Each structure stands twice: as structure tokens, then as C-alpha cells.
Amino acid sequence: MKQKIIDATDNPHTLEVLYRSNSKDFIRAFPDAFADRPDSGILQAWHERLFFAAQLDKNEPSSDSRFLGRDICLTVFLSLFAGTLVKLPKFLPILNDQRFYSRNLSGIVAGALIVYFCIQKSCRMKIAGTIIALLLAATFYLNLLPDKSNSQTVVLSCMHIPFFFWSLLGIAFLGGAWKDLTARMDYVRYNGELMIYSTIILIGGMVLTGLTFALFRLIDVGMGWYMDNVVVYGATATPIVATLLIERAVGDRFKIAPLLAKIFTPLFLLTVVAYLLAMIMNQKSPFTDRGFLIVFNGLLLVVLGLCVFSISERIPKESLGIIDIINIGLVSVTLVIDVVALAAILFRLTSYGFTPNRLAVLGANLLTFCHLTGIVYHYIRFTKKNSPYENIEKWIVGYIPAYTAWSILVGVGFPLAFRFH
């Protein structure tokens, strides 16, 4: 490894490949290689990158740990505050559980994360105030909607407004710099890590809960208090704690999401292709089966998310490789799924008439179709070396406001246009 590092002294790309292929051996061999070539500017930069923390005075706290106490206090406070809001129906029996959670749960969790990032990213007061005001206004609007369990538009509003909250969270994550497309891609990556770390924390919490129940059952102690308090506060705190881990404890040292993306992208491609072939061979059609169409659209959303996340985790400067072929294949197959779903939706619209649900699904599929088409177009241009890889990322994140606008239209416009039908 030492000789490989010395041979690649003037080739930053090869050094990066060596480091990513075997970081432990790279770090172990680097000091000897650097001793042979101390005049190399590239190796000097790598030396600072690898050993900067070790050179700090032990009595001088690093930037990663200097505010650790404040970060923990902020996380605990937001977790307790959000958990208490989630428990409001327990404190105020007048509140209906189903109505309260369907209209407020997403806003409570998103609000806690928004406050976290507004503080951590040092958002300007005007920007932070605007974000929080929009969050409160949207939550207030949801709670003003009439309590009609059979209203399609009310259900659609409760489903789409949370995406608006996600957009507000993105602005807070960017510190108000919502026009920065590169930073938007960081937000996409953060969401992938958030899902993974939240899942890990929840699994750990489930194991702890199971052990706690088993132990207290042995001494005949009831566990109602545990479910009402520990589980509620723990579940609410999960995304906040996961964010703290991503921002402070993990940082750039190790990312799980890129590894999972590389593993599951080809597996999803094989699964989706096999699914389409089986559907054709068994002559199943989403045109007449509503349940089949719902599953088809769910598959579309899952695969689209994996496509976007897989692309976001690719190193832009890497040369064309097998992962790019897999990404193009997955995006292309997803586009085929979307075309079939669009055809099925149009068939149902012309055969059974217009409803708010069908219009909402049609609009979402048209948005997805345009998004996927743009991704395929830019990817093909990249493979032909007609444009840089960054154009794919810019298209992906530049399209996000279209989804935000659609969520606002469905969440606010549909109930009013259809008179809460």
C-alpha cells in the first residue's frame, strides 16, 4: 500500500480510490509514504485530512465536541416538548385521537426538526420566523378542515401537507439558502441517513421494550405507564436523536446509506423487471383492478426514491461504471411503470369519471413522469460525455419545488375546489 500511495502522489483520483477501497491499510501505510515524499502538496493535504484531530491539543476541544453538551440539551428539550405535544389527547380527553394525530403528528415531528436546524444552522431570525409561521399556518389549516371521514379531499390534504412540512424542513436544513442546488442534494442524502438511523434506533427500542416487559412481568408489575410515557417519548425523539447522530457523532466518517444504495439498487432492478414480466405472463392488468393500481403506484414511489437516492450517492468525478448502467436501467424501468400507471389512471378517468383521488394520482404520476424523463435524458447525455454528472443532480433537486407546489395545490386547493367532497 505504501508504494501504491507513492506512485499515486500526483494523481488525486487514484489516491481517493485507494483510500475508499481499503481505508484501514491506507491510513496505516500513509505515514511511511508521507515520510518519503514530505514535499508533496497533495500528500500534505491528505495528512491534514487524516490526522488533523490527532494534532489538536488535548486540552483544546475540537469543533465536533465543543458544542456537544449544548447539542444534547437541545435534543433532549425538543424530544420532551414534541413528546408532550404528541400526548395532548391524553391530557385533554376532549381531543379525538384519530383526528388529532392525522392532522398534527407530522407537523409536530417536522417542527421539532425545523427548530433543531434553525438553531444549529444559525438561520437568520427573519427566515426562521417565516418557516415556523408557515408550519403553524399549515397545521392550523389542517385542524380547520371539517371532520368528514368519507371526504376524499380532506384525506388528500392530510396526506399532502406533510410533504410541504418536508420542504420547510429542507429550507431549515439549508440554513435558508434554498437556492443552493448542491446543498439541496445534501438534504436528500440527509433524508436517506435519517431513515436508516431512525430504523436502527427504533429496532433497538423495540428490543429494549421487549426485555423490559419480560423482566417486569416476572415481578407482576403493570406496564401501562411504560407504553404511555417511555414508548411515546422514545418514538417521538427517534428522528431528533438520529439527526444528532448524523450531524455530530457520525459526520463524514462513515455513511450507511451509500453502501445500502449500492446493494439494493441492482436487487430492486431485478425485482421490478421480474415483476413486470410476471404481470405480463399472468395477464394481470392495473386498468380494471383498483387495488392493483394502488400497489403499482406504491412500487413506483419506492423505486423512484431509491433511484434518486442511489444517484445522489454517486461520486460525480468517478468515471462511467457498472453502477451507472444499473442506475439507468432502474430509472428506465421505473419510467415504464409510470407510463403503465398513467395509462391505467387515464382509463379509469374516462371510464368511471373524475374524482379528487383520481385527479391527485394523475397529477402525481405526471410529475413523476417528467422527473424521470429528465433524469434519463441527463444520464444518457452523461454517458455520451456530452454533459457533466452534476447536471443530473441539478435536475433532481431543481425539480423538488414542483412537488412542493403540487402538495400545496392538493392540500389547500382541492378541499376548497371540491367543497370538501
Side-chain angles (χ1 to χ4, degrees), residues 102-103 106 142 145 152-164 301 357 360-361 407 410-411:
S102 64
R103 301 173 190 230
S106 60
L142 281 177
L145 293 175
Q152 293 182 13
T153 54
V154 172
V155 173
L156 286 171
S157 185
C158 293
M159 292 173 59
H160 284 75
I161 292 298
F163 188 88
F164 175 65
L301 293 177
N357 279 340
V361 175
S407 68
V410 176

Side-chain angles (χ1 to χ4, degrees), residues 152-153 156 354-362 410 414 418 421:
Q152 293 182 13
T153 54
L156 286 171
F354 287 81
T355 65
N357 279 340
R358 291 173 190 151
L359 285 177
V361 175
L362 175 62
V410 176
F414 271 39
F418 290 95
H421 169 67

Side-chain angles (χ1 to χ4, degrees), residues 129-310:
T130 302
I131 295 172
I132 294 174
L134 290 173
L135 173 73
L136 294 176
T139 305
F140 184 67
Y141 167 78
L142 281 177
N143 284 276
L144 285 179
L145 293 175
D147 191 11
K148 294 183 177 181
S149 58
N150 61 343
S151 172
Q152 293 182 13
T153 54
V154 172
V155 173
L156 286 171
S157 185
C158 293
M159 292 173 59
H160 284 75
I161 292 298
F163 188 88
F164 175 65
F165 294 154
W166 179 81
S167 303
L168 293 178
L169 176 59
I171 298 175
F173 176 88
L174 302 176
W178 59 274
K179 293 183 179 180
D180 188 343
L181 297 184
T182 302
R184 285 189 197 177
M185 187 56 72
D186 291 336
Y187 180 55
V188 173
R189 298 186 183 102
Y190 156 75
N191 278 271
E193 296 292 330
L194 178 65
M195 287 189 291
I196 293 169
Y197 280 93
S198 294
T199 301
I200 293 173
I201 293 172
L202 286 174
I203 292 174
M206 291 170 62
V207 173
L208 175 62
T209 299
L211 290 174
T212 304
F213 268 69
L215 290 173
F216 278 83
R217 189 178 291 116
L218 293 174
I219 57 176
D220 297 325
V221 175
M223 296 300 294
W225 60 271
Y226 189 94
M227 294 297 298
D228 291 340
N229 296 283
V230 178
V231 172
V232 171
Y233 279 99
T236 306
T238 294
I240 308 172
V241 174
T243 298
L244 176 66
L245 292 176
I246 295 168
E247 288 282 299
R248 298 299 185 189
V250 179
D252 296 326
R253 287 187 286 275
F254 180 70
K255 298 290 188 182
I256 300 178
L259 177 62
L260 293 181
K262 291 179 181 179
I263 295 173
F264 283 100
T265 298
L267 295 178
F268 264 85
L269 176 59
L270 292 173
T271 301
V272 174
V273 171
Y275 176 77
L276 289 176
L277 292 176
M279 182 185 71
I280 295 172
M281 293 176 62
N282 289 280
Q283 298 181 348
K284 295 293 183 179
S285 172
F287 289 79
T288 55
D289 190 337
R290 182 173 179 270
F292 193 78
L293 180 59
I294 293 174
V295 174
F296 219 63
N297 277 277
L299 175 64
L300 170 65
L301 293 177
V302 172
V303 179
L304 172 63
L306 184 63
C307 287
V308 171
F309 187 68
S310 178

